[in-house]
Amino acid sequence: MIKVRLKIFPPEEIEQYPHTIKNVLLQTLPRKGERFDITGKTGIPKAFGILEDHDGDSVWNLQIREIEHSYDADEAEHSIEVHADLNLDTFWA
C-alpha cells in the first residue's frame, strides 16, 4: 500500500479551492490521465458545497492531473501528493 495526500480539484463551474484528503492508501500509484473511484467519508460534498447529503454513500470519480513527489532528507521521509480532477458527470447525467 502507498500512502498519499489526495488533492481534489472541483469542476470549473464550482468556484471553490481544492480539497485535500490526507493518508489515503492506494494499492498502486496511478498515472496521469487515469480515472479511479473513491468512496466513504471524503469531505467532498462539504468542501465543494454540493450534494451534501451524499457523503459516505457516494462514489466519486477522479481523473489524475499530476503526481508530486518530494523527499525530506532531515526526516528521511518521502511525500506523495496526487492531484486529481473531480468528475461530476455521473451525478448530472
Side-chain angles (χ1 to χ4, degrees):
M1 298 295 267
I2 302 168
K3 185 167 51 170
V4 303
R5 279 189 318 263
L6 182 58
K7 190 171 191 176
I8 303 169
F9 293 82
E12 289 181 11
E13 63 268 15
I14 299 174
E15 296 180 7
Q16 295 288 341
Y17 293 104
H19 172 60
T20 301
I21 304 172
K22 297 178 183 177
N23 300 320
V24 174
L25 294 174
L26 301 176
Q27 292 285 339
T28 61
L29 199 57
R31 295 183 184 157
K32 183 178 179 178
E34 285 185 344
R35 291 186 178 272
F36 70 96
D37 295 332
I38 61 171
T39 189
K41 293 272 185 192
T42 62
I44 291 172
K46 185 175 181 183
F48 298 146
I50 54 165
L51 306 166
E52 292 193 31
D53 56 339
H54 288 276
D55 204 17
D57 65 350
S58 292
V59 176
W60 305 98
N61 184 260
L62 305 174
Q63 183 171 11
I64 303 304
R65 186 185 271 202
E66 67 179 331
I67 298 173
E68 292 183 354
H69 174 261
S70 60
Y71 180 73
D72 183 337
D74 294 334
E75 298 291 325
E77 288 183 353
H78 289 272
S79 175
I80 300 172
E81 186 168 274
V82 176
H83 295 190
D85 292 314
L86 178 62
N87 176 12
L88 292 177
D89 291 345
T90 56
F91 287 102
W92 304 150

